[in-house]
DNA sequence: ATCCTCCCCTAC
DNA sequence: TAAGGTAGGGGAGGAT
């Protein structure tokens, strides 16, 4: 069977969106796996001018053995047969004797004499490139630990061959074993030795020497669970949660291992001059011995670039099998929890053996599903340390051949072997591939596959380049004839000359097959991210804050490792879908909605406090869904800068981030100065809510719902978990169908058909909060609440209908638009929109009215709940009961409120206070620039005029200035500010502001000691 | 046109 | 119970 791909687009159609640089390697990889797993035959790649797969039609069965080695596959088998024939033919040709007739050996590593194989063949023996069950002996001077475990009992010293030839007869092999396992046994405990002796009885010498797996011992069932010393699993907000999670997360581990390889390669490449290319030398020796320059079974034009894709076969399983011979040849998977009689396991399968794959078991599948396909499935546990070791060994072997390596993953390397092939006489792609596979196996006991990619020089061969383009490139640019030439052109040039799309295709296709497209600057990633979508079950904001702080710290650490600072943060929040059940997978995220939000940082930074506060601010802006619904959190740092001196970061960045208002606050709407939240989770002073005057049973859930979310939570928490649950239950998330469930189809919750967004006919926007309830709240909360209500009232009055229906279509776009600083959105019903003629007023009145009838585009209207919760009364909460009673068209309205002065995007007093406190704490020497934001803010407050807030703030500053913990410098600044403000107030109003005797208004303790 | 944000998808 | 991460390409559609 021959498969030819010439068309990049067809390729993408076939294999999905593959990252272009690896396009052809991936193609070979994917195709080989497909062929191997579904056709049960092994592919052999033959590369011609373009890419051709020649599939060896030898079926797997024909090369079957008994020890698992047959998995090496038809390709290997074919190659092996080929090599063996070659060797054995040469043996036939010049047979000196038949001493070794009927004996099959494999030679591992380097032996003396170096021509041992040739000598052996000349004396009638057979040679196998790889050891199999039919191999009688392995000849070696020493073995790696892994090989020793597997083949040690069959391994003879080279002297056996030499001595036998000298003696003219085959000598007793028992005297030439490389390892004396009996000797080793003596050093073990008596009991161990005894059991080994017993086992050895009656077996052949080789079998007797086979040590049993140390891990297996006598028990059939392997202990799958972790060491039971820690019965308690850490909750997401607890310190150590992340580390514990990462210790067990295979996906985290393979990602980390990949990065480790990248850094490793980088380091090796930097010390190229002193690097020891031992495998290159080995290969050279091998070539001299084999003298098989005629072995051109891959069509290859000298000089062409040649890439290998080297990949370990079923990586985790192969490693796991090293010490578990009993799972050779059987369907086996690597997973955390195998399940038992009573509990079926929803644990992910990281890696399935090929035997298991024949049943349809795949990597990533759940054990429960796999067991349906394959009831006899065996299970082995993870061993991340071993994976790391093998991954590194693997990398080092290839790196000892060439350093032109790009790690594709922890078990996959993209290798540019052009120079190796071209500089070694007699070398060929297949012999090199063969050699690498052999060496990898010898060192790691893991089998590898090698795909081969060849670059064609003429650009005319590239997909998408026909006669016309070829002509243009040749005549209009500087004589572009080859791919390499083409790559010299800049993307911009190509795009400007040939159009964006064509330019891209040109740019990419010439790299898809070009060795120079391997990238070795792994040290410059485009993004650094941490996602935790497992084990997230929070009940309180403070828990979220603890978790976020830990994530922020970890992110900061990762940025430091990468020597990067970031200018942009993106958070991804997963929230439980409405009505979604608790996921089957324990701790899993289940069916979720995905919320993304990104924001620009003013300066490149890796300061974890800035991260922390920014993340919090982003989360707040993306959704008001309560933390109890959170199922996953991701934080991505992008816009990375590597030339930014991290040392200058820290306080300096924090300072300017703290107080520097954007130059044009409204023009860069999405830029945020990141400070709005407590520096540490404990900062939120435990406001003891004074609810004495309200009996618990008096708390109306609906009133609770009408409160701003955080406050509602606080109140609910006060009343205990039941109330909290009730609250959450009464505030289900809107059904959302437009969001794809993340990660996999299988996470998709059966679609809930949204018919319409149903609201009562005449909802009031302003919650009717009972006086007694309000009165029971602490002063500052009540104050905030009342001002919220006031705001809502004003918003309500500011809402104008959209006279232009066309605007209604724009919702889907607007909904994703970064909110300008003062843009708030609310839900109103049609009834609420006074259908009058009011023209567009001042910007300050209505910035934008965006609305849409929910029943027009229900699918495309993921509902942002934040303001809905915040600003709508209990009546507005849709519920199962009333849903059929109303046919009201709802509109989602985003509008700009009247101008609310803000400091770092924050306008609420607790936030403002926090910002200022942080300034005092982290800015021992504030510059004028640092203070501008605060000064402007005060200025705006006074100009507003927002006298109440001005008063509160000035009193706060006054108090702060008098605190012993406040530095003299800051105290002076505050006093000065107050004086300036007072004089301005005096100028405007004719009298200064009363600032004394109300100090109790801001009694929160000033946090100290937030230093790490 | 190109950039940006949000979203989606892919490989391991 | 279970450890559903990480990095990157690319597209839609609005902003510039
Ligand atoms: N969904 C997945 C895919 C892979 N892996 C891990 C386990 C694999 O052993 C390793 C390498 O992935 P590969 O795609 O290379 O798959 P294998 O090495 O298992 O098999 P193959 O022989 O097809 O390469 O990554 C995982 O944990 N979860
Ligand atoms: Mg693999």
């Amino acid at each position: 069977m021959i498969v030819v791909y010439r068309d990049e687009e067809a390729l993408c159609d076939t294999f999905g969106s593959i990252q272009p640089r690896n396009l052809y390697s991936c193609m070979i990889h994917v195709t080989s796996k497909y062929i191997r797993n579904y056709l049960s035959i092994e592919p052999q790649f033959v590369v011609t001018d373009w890419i051709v797969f020649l599939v060896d039609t030898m079926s797997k069965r024909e090369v079957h053995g008994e020890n698992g080695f047959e998995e090496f596959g038809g390709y290997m088998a074919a190659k092996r047969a080929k090599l063996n024939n070659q060797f054995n033919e040469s043996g036939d040709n010049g047979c000196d004797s038949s001493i070794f007739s009927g004996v099959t050996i494999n030679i591992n590593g380097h032996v003396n004499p170096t021509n041992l194989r040739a000598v052996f063949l000349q004396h009638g023996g057979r040679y196998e490139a790889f050891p199999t069950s039919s191999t009688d002996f392995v000849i070696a001077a020493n073995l790696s630990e892994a090989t020793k475990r597997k083949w040690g009992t069959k391994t003879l010293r080279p002297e056996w061959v030499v001595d036998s030839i000298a003696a003219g007869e085959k000598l007793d092999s028992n005297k030439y074993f490389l390892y004396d396992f009996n000797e080793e046994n003596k050093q073990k405990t008596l009991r161990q030795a005894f059991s080994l002796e017993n086992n050895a009885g009656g077996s052949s010498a080789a079998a007797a020497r086979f040590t049993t797996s140390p891990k297996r011992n006598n028990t059939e069932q392997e202990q799958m669970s972790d060491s039971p010393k820690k019965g308690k699993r850490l909750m997401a907000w607890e310190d150590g949660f992340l580390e514990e999670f990462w210790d067990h997360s295979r996906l985290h581990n393979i990602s980390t291992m990949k990065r480790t390889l990248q850094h490793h390669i980088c380091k090796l490449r930097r010390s190229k001059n002193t690097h020891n290319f031992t495998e290159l030398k080995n290969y050279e020796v091998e070539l001299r011995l084999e003298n098989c320059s005629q072995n051109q079974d891959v069509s290859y034009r000298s000089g062409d670039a040649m890439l290998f894709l080297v990949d370990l076969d079923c990586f985790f399983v192969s490693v796991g099998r090293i010490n578990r011979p009993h799972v050779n040849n059987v369907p086996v998977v690597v997973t955390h929890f195998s399940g038992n009689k009573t509990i079926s396991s929803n644990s992910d399968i990281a890696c399935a053996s090929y035997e298991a794959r024949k049943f349809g078991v795949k990597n990533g599948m759940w054990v429960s599903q796999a067991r349906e396909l394959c009831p006899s499935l065996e299970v082995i546990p993870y061993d991340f340390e071993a994976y790391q070791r093998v991954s590194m060994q693997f990398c080092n072997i290839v790196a000892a051949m060439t350093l032109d390596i790009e790690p594709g993953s922890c078990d996959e390397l993209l290798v540019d072997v052009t120079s190796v092939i071209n500089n070694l006489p007699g070398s060929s792609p297949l012999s090199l591939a063969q050699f690498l596979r052999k060496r990898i196996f010898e060192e790691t006991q893991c089998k590898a596959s090698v795909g081969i990619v060849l670059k064609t020089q003429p650009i005319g061969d590239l997909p998408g380049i026909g006669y016309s383009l070829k002509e243009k490139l040749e005549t209009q640019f500087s004589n572009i004839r080859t791919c390499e030439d083409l790559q010299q052109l800049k993307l911009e040039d190509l795009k400007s000359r040939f159009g964006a799309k064509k330019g891209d295709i040109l740019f990419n296709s010439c790299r898809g097959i070009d060795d120079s497209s391997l990238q070795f600057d792994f040290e410059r990633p485009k993004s650094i991210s941490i996602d935790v979508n497992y084990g997230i079950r929070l009940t309180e904001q403070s828990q979220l804050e603890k978790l976020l702080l830990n994530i922020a710290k970890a992110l900061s650490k990762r940025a430091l490792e990468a020597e990067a600072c970031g200018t942009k943060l993106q958070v991804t929040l997963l929230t439980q879908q409405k009505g979604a059940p608790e996921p089957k997978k324990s701790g899993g995220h289940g069916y979720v909605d995905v919320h993304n939000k990104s924001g620009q940082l003013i300066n490149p930074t890796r300061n974890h406090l800035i991260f922390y506060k920014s993340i919090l601010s982003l989360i707040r802006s993306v959704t008001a869904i309560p933390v109890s619904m959170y199922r996953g959190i991701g934080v991505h740092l992008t816009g990375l800068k590597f030339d930014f001196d991290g040392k200058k970061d820290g306080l300096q960045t924090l300072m300017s981030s703290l107080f520097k208002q954007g130059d044009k606050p409204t023009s860069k709407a999405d830029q945020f100065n990141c400070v709005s939240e407590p520096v540490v989770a404990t900062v939120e002073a435990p406001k003891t809510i004074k609810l004495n005057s309200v009996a618990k049973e008096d708390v109306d859930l609906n009133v609770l719902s009408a409160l701003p979310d955080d406050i509602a939570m606080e109140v609910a928490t006060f009343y205990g978990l039941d109330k909290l649950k009730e609250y959450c239950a009464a505030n289900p998330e809107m059904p959302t169908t437009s969001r794809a469930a993340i990660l996999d189809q299988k996470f998709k919750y059966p679609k809930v058909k949204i018919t319409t967004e149903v609201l009562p006919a005449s909802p009031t926007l302003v919650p009717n909060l009972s006086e007694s309830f309000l009165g029971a709240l602490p002063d500052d909360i009540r104050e905030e609440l009342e001002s919220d209500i006031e705001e809502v009232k004003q918003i309500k009055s500011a809402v104008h209908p959209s006279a232009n229906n066309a605007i209604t279509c724009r919702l889907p776009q607007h909904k994703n638009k970064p909110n300008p600083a003062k843009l708030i959105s609310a839900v109103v019903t049609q009834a609420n929109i006074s259908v009058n003629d009011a023209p567009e007023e001042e910007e300050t009145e209505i910035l934008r009215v965006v609305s849409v009838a929910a029943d027009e585009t229900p699918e495309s209207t993921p509902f942002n709940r934040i303001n809905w919760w915040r600003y709508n009364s209990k009546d507005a909460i849709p519920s199962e009961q009333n849903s059929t009673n109303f046919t009201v068209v709802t509109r989602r309205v985003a509008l700009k409120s009247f101008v609310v002065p803000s400091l770092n995007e924050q306008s609420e007093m607790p936030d403002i206070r926090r910002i200022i406190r942080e300034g005092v704490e982290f800015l021992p020497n504030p510059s004028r620039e640092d203070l501008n934001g605060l000064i402007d803010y005060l200025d705006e407050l006074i100009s507003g005029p927002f006298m109440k807030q001005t008063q509160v703030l000035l009193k706060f500053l006054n108090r702060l200035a008098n605190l012993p913990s406040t530095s003299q410098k800051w105290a002076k600044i505050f006093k000065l500010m107050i004086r300036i403000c007072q004089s301005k107030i005096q100028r405007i109003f004719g009298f200064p502001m009363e600032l004394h005797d109300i100090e109790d208004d801001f009694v929160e303790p000033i946090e100290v000691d937030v230093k790490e």
Side-chain angles (χ1 to χ4, degrees):
Chain A
M1 182 172 81
I2 295 176
V3 186
V4 186
Y5 288 99
R6 301 191 66 91
D7 180 358
E8 195 169 319
E9 281 179 22
L11 192 64
C12 288
D13 282 351
T14 311
F15 294 111
S17 70
I18 293 167
Q19 295 175 18
R21 199 157 32 70
N22 295 334
L23 195 62
Y24 304 103
S25 301
C26 286
M27 180 173 67
I28 287 183
H29 198 52
V30 169
T31 307
S32 75
K33 284 182 183 176
Y34 173 83
I35 291 168
R36 184 190 292 140
N37 291 326
Y38 295 99
L39 305 184
S40 288
I41 51 180
E42 285 291 327
Q44 176 173 354
F45 307 125
V46 172
V47 186
T48 65
D49 278 353
W50 198 231
I51 297 175
V52 177
F53 297 96
L54 172 64
V55 179
D56 193 311
T57 51
M58 185 187 301
S59 90
K60 243 181 164 173
R61 188 166 295 114
E62 291 172 65
V63 294
H64 233 48
E66 303 129 31
N67 64 347
F69 205 81
E70 66 284 357
E71 271 176 30
F72 236 81
Y75 167 60
M76 260 326 295
K79 183 57 197 162
R80 193 165 60 217
K82 198 176 236 167
L83 286 177
N84 290 344
N85 282 340
Q86 190 186 317
F87 300 135
N88 297 324
E89 271 161 25
S90 68
D92 290 344
N93 291 342
C95 214
D96 285 5
S97 77
S98 51
I99 295 173
F100 299 118
S101 170
V103 181
T104 303
I105 64 159
N106 161 264
I107 298 173
N108 183 291
H110 287 277
V111 292
N112 273 323
T114 48
N115 64 341
L116 190 76
R117 170 169 51 207
V119 172
F120 183 76
L121 291 169
Q122 277 171 4
H123 290 270
R126 290 185 63 84
Y127 175 81
E128 288 179 339
F130 291 85
T132 70
S133 63
S134 59
T135 304
D136 296 305
F137 301 109
V138 173
I139 309 292
N142 62 62
L143 294 176
S144 68
E145 270 307 303
T147 311
K148 180 178 168 183
R149 275 192 293 273
K150 195 131 185 173
W151 300 106
T153 54
K154 281 190 169 193
T155 303
L156 305 179
R157 286 176 282 122
E159 286 78 12
W160 177 67
V161 177
V162 178
D163 293 357
S164 293
I165 291 169
E169 56 168 341
K170 189 172 68 176
L171 298 175
D172 180 8
S173 57
N174 282 321
K175 299 200 170 82
Y176 288 91
F177 279 115
L178 181 58
Y179 302 104
D180 187 340
F181 282 91
N182 287 330
E183 190 62 34
E184 290 185 15
N185 289 339
K186 280 177 196 162
Q187 289 160 15
K188 297 180 179 175
T189 66
L190 278 178
R191 225 181 105 197
Q192 283 173 316
F194 178 70
S195 75
L196 278 169
E197 295 271 272
N198 273 357
N199 288 342
S203 308
S204 75
R209 287 160 187 277
F210 206 97
T211 53
T212 51
S213 155
K215 284 193 179 176
R216 200 183 173 208
N217 288 335
N218 289 327
T219 48
E220 272 306 312
Q221 264 311 100
E222 191 145 11
Q223 184 64 263
M224 286 295 297
S225 59
D226 269 0
S227 60
K229 40 183 147 168
K230 277 183 190 167
K232 197 189 80 153
R233 273 180 76 181
L234 291 170
M235 304 302 281
W237 61 86
E238 292 178 287
D239 286 343
F241 166 81
L242 288 177
E243 290 72 16
E244 164 116 354
F245 172 54
W246 287 333
D247 276 352
H248 293 85
S249 164
R250 77 190 200 280
L251 293 172
H252 171 80
N253 271 277
I254 63 177
S255 297
T256 306
M257 282 190 269
K258 178 182 176 184
R259 262 204 315 278
T260 305
L261 291 191
Q262 289 175 328
H263 283 113
H264 185 60
I265 295 294
C266 263
K267 222 172 93 194
L268 292 181
R269 286 175 64 85
R270 274 199 294 267
S271 53
K272 230 176 188 163
N273 298 334
T274 57
H275 183 68
N276 204 352
F277 291 92
T278 53
E279 295 300 344
L280 187 62
K281 290 171 194 152
N282 291 345
Y283 180 52
E284 221 173 336
V285 171
E286 185 107 352
L287 281 176
R288 266 208 304 278
L289 283 174
E290 286 188 19
N291 191 26
C292 54
S293 57
Q294 75 283 359
N295 187 14
Q296 284 285 351
D297 33 20
V298 167
S299 162
Y300 171 71
R301 276 202 308 276
S302 185
D304 279 356
M306 174 67 73
L307 306 188
F308 281 6
L309 185 83
V310 192
D311 174 290
L312 297 176
D313 294 345
C314 50
F315 182 35
F316 287 10
V317 164
S318 296
V319 174
R321 276 174 167 170
I322 291 173
N323 288 321
R324 294 181 189 84
H326 60 287
V327 291
N328 282 340
N329 305 323
V330 300
V332 59
V333 296
V334 173
T335 195
H336 276 300
F337 176 61
S338 67
N340 54 42
K341 281 151 279 175
T342 49
I343 308 168
S344 85
S345 167
N346 293 318
S347 177
D348 271 30
I349 288 168
C351 180
S353 75
Y354 290 169
E355 294 86 354
R357 289 180 202 191
K358 281 182 193 157
F359 289 88
V361 178
K362 294 194 172 90
N363 291 1
M365 189 177 267
W366 285 4
V367 173
S368 50
Q369 190 189 348
R371 284 210 191 282
E372 287 171 19
L373 298 167
C374 175
S376 65
L377 198 66
E378 296 266 354
V379 160
I380 57 177
Y382 288 90
D383 186 350
F384 290 117
E385 279 176 23
Y387 307 147
Q388 280 165 36
R389 210 175 48 238
V390 170
S391 173
M392 193 51 88
Q393 275 179 297
F394 165 61
C395 182
N396 277 331
I397 291 167
V398 178
M401 184 67 74
T402 172
L403 288 175
D404 297 335
I405 299 172
E406 180 180 332
S409 76
C410 62
D411 81 325
E412 178 188 305
L413 301 174
L414 202 52
V415 192
D416 179 358
V417 294
T418 312
S419 61
V420 177
I421 300 271
N422 282 289
N423 295 336
L424 287 186
S427 69
S428 76
L430 266 187
S431 78
L432 176 58
Q434 188 72 339
F435 177 80
L436 280 175
R437 297 190 60 197
K438 180 174 130 95
R439 291 292 301 129
I440 290 163
F441 182 79
E442 284 171 0
E443 293 299 321
T444 70
Q445 289 296 298
C446 294
K447 301 151 216 164
S449 298
V450 179
I452 302 170
V453 175
L454 184 76
K455 185 183 85 181
T456 57
Q457 297 285 6
I459 53 168
D461 284 356
L462 282 176
I465 299 187
Y467 174 81
S468 162
L469 265 180
K470 202 167 109 181
E471 276 295 301
K472 281 176 190 160
L473 281 164
E474 243 177 89
T475 58
Q476 297 179 17
F477 285 81
S478 46
N479 226 2
I480 303 292
R481 288 172 194 278
T482 68
C483 294
E484 240 154 23
D485 295 341
L486 184 52
Q487 282 171 46
Q488 305 311 312
L489 300 184
K490 286 196 180 79
L491 177 60
E492 294 81 48
D493 296 343
L494 285 170
K495 279 186 169 175
S496 63
R497 180 62 189 79
F498 299 110
K501 208 135 205 179
K502 206 73 193 169
D504 241 353
I505 288 173
L506 292 176
F507 187 77
N508 287 327
S509 42
C510 66
R511 277 165 179 73
I513 52 171
D514 188 347
D515 54 355
S516 69
S517 70
L518 287 197
Q519 286 187 3
F520 306 118
D521 59 338
F522 322 114
E523 237 114 58
R524 290 179 158 250
K526 293 187 174 61
S527 70
I528 300 173
S529 64
I530 290 176
D531 292 66
V532 187
N533 297 324
Y534 180 85
I536 304 298
R537 295 294 186 281
L538 308 173
T539 51
E540 299 175 33
Q541 177 72 15
S542 67
Q543 295 170 348
L544 174 69
E545 288 168 4
K546 284 181 187 169
L547 174 60
L548 290 182
L549 186 64
N550 284 333
I551 290 176
K553 283 178 182 168
L555 190 65
S556 170
K557 202 171 144 201
R558 290 265 306 277
L560 181 65
E561 279 164 20
E563 294 175 50
C565 289
T567 57
K568 201 172 124 184
L569 270 178
Q570 188 206 318
V571 299
T572 300
L573 203 62
L574 306 190
T575 57
Q576 185 185 33
Q577 271 185 17
K578 186 205 173 185
E582 186 63 9
K584 283 193 214 154
K585 187 195 276 293
S586 162
H589 53 61
Y591 307 111
V592 290
D593 290 323
V594 186
H595 314 259
N596 284 286
K597 182 77 182 171
S598 67
Q600 292 281 339
L601 297 157
I602 285 175
N603 290 318
T605 183
R606 54 169 166 259
N607 180 292
H608 76 274
L609 291 176
I610 293 177
F611 287 167
Y612 169 71
K613 287 174 289 192
S614 307
I615 295 163
L616 219 42
S617 155
L618 285 171
I619 285 183
R620 171 191 282 207
S621 73
V622 74
T623 180
I625 293 168
V627 293
S628 60
M629 307 287 204
Y630 290 12
R631 291 295 177 267
I633 290 157
V635 182
H636 300 235
L637 186 67
T638 56
L640 300 184
K641 300 272 182 289
F642 296 92
D643 43 6
F644 194 83
D645 184 4
K647 302 278 188 297
K648 282 191 304 190
D649 178 29
L651 278 186
Q652 197 59 43
T653 309
L654 180 59
M655 291 178 198
S656 41
S657 291
L658 273 171
F659 285 129
K660 193 163 81 186
Q661 294 279 32
D663 291 334
K664 296 162 200 159
T666 47
S667 70
K668 287 228 163 186
D670 211 33
Q671 186 163 89
F672 63 97
N673 298 350
C674 45
V675 185
S676 67
E677 300 290 346
V679 174
V680 290
T682 54
V683 160
E684 192 74 72
K687 293 169 189 154
T688 46
I689 306 176
K690 294 173 284 182
L691 285 169
N692 309 336
S693 57
V694 181
K696 290 193 178 187
E697 55 272 21
D698 285 351
V699 176
D700 181 349
L701 200 60
N702 287 326
V703 172
L704 206 54
S705 303
L707 294 176
D709 188 57
D710 47 345
I711 297 173
M713 275 307 203
E714 225 170 87
V715 175
T717 307
F718 176 82
Y719 282 101
L721 220 58
D722 284 349
K723 207 68 183 176
L724 196 65
K725 281 188 195 145
E726 217 180 317
Y727 167 71
C728 293
N731 287 274
E733 209 201 334
M734 299 297 285
T736 306
T737 57
S738 63
R739 315 242 188 226
I742 70 155
L743 295 175
D744 199 281
Q745 282 285 82
K746 73 185 175 193
F747 300 128
K748 236 165 214 160
Y749 188 60
K751 266 197 179 178
V752 179
K753 173 100 179 95
I754 310 177
T755 48
T756 178
E757 174 70 17
V758 181
L759 289 182
S762 301
T764 57
L765 279 171
V766 183
N768 293 316
L769 300 176
S770 80
E771 281 302 316
S772 70
F773 184 85
L774 277 180
L777 293 170
D779 289 347
D780 53 349
I781 293 185
R782 176 165 40 82
E783 206 173 279
E784 278 178 45
L785 209 51
E786 283 166 352
S787 84
D788 269 356
I789 294 167
E790 190 57 32
E791 201 177 350
V792 171
K793 281 179 183 161
Q794 303 204 31
I795 291 160
K796 188 186 167 192
S797 69
V799 171
H800 290 256
S802 163
N804 181 358
N805 280 340
I807 294 180
T808 61
C809 306
R810 295 169 62 195
L811 174 65
Q813 287 77 54
H814 280 286
K815 71 148 202 272
N816 289 334
K817 198 177 71 63
N819 284 342
K822 287 137 197 163
L823 219 157
I824 58 173
S825 53
V827 173
V828 296
T829 67
Q830 201 166 41
N832 254 331
I833 302 174
S834 50
V835 188
N836 63 23
D837 38 34
E840 291 277 274
E841 289 281 308
E842 293 297 317
E843 245 213 351
T844 52
E845 276 299 309
I846 306 173
L847 181 66
R848 198 174 282 113
V849 176
V850 195
S851 63
V852 68
D855 56 354
E856 284 168 16
T857 53
E859 305 290 324
S860 63
T861 314
F863 203 81
N864 181 352
R865 298 277 302 197
I866 176 164
N867 299 306
W868 191 82
W869 262 325
R870 245 185 131 81
Y871 295 117
N872 285 277
S873 75
K874 57 192 167 83
D875 296 331
I877 299 169
S879 69
E880 263 52 71
Q881 295 92 314
N882 70 6
S883 61
T884 53
N885 297 339
F886 302 97
T887 54
V888 176
V889 177
T890 61
R891 290 170 182 249
R892 188 157 156 279
V893 181
L895 58 130
K896 188 177 180 178
S897 74
F898 48 91
V899 175
V900 177
S902 66
L903 178 61
N904 295 355
E905 307 255 332
Q906 300 302 322
S907 52
E908 288 173 26
M909 224 14 90
D911 295 322
I912 303 290
R913 288 194 291 254
R914 269 184 228 116
I915 290 167
I916 296 170
R917 279 199 295 262
E918 285 163 5
V920 173
E921 181 170 3
F922 293 106
L923 274 174
N925 293 302
S927 69
R928 170 65 210 230
E929 201 187 1
D930 296 326
L931 300 172
N932 280 344
L934 181 56
I935 292 170
D936 291 348
Y937 177 63
L938 279 165
D939 203 45
E940 284 175 40
L941 279 186
I942 297 169
S943 310
F946 296 91
M947 297 321 289
K948 175 69 180 164
Q949 272 158 291
T950 307
Q951 189 188 38
V952 170
L953 183 54
L954 288 184
K955 281 190 290 185
F956 175 69
L957 293 184
N958 186 43
R959 181 176 171 77
L960 216 49
N962 290 325
L963 274 179
S965 59
T966 305
S967 70
Q968 284 304 306
K969 195 149 195 162
W970 275 103
K972 255 195 200 152
I973 288 167
F974 290 145
K975 297 236 161 87
L976 183 64
M977 282 182 177
I978 294 169
R979 213 165 342 121
I980 293 170
C981 287
Q982 286 288 36
S983 73
K984 176 162 179 169
I985 294 166
Q986 168 100 43
R987 226 176 325 116
I988 297 175
F989 302 100
F991 50 87
M993 182 166 270
E994 180 71 55
L995 289 182
H996 312 291
D997 72 47
I998 325 179
E999 294 195 359
D1000 283 355
D1001 260 14
F1002 34 96
V1003 288
E1004 310 102 298
I1006 306 294
E1007 299 74 36
V1008 282
D1009 202 24
V1010 271
K1011 292 184 189 74
E1012 305 296 307

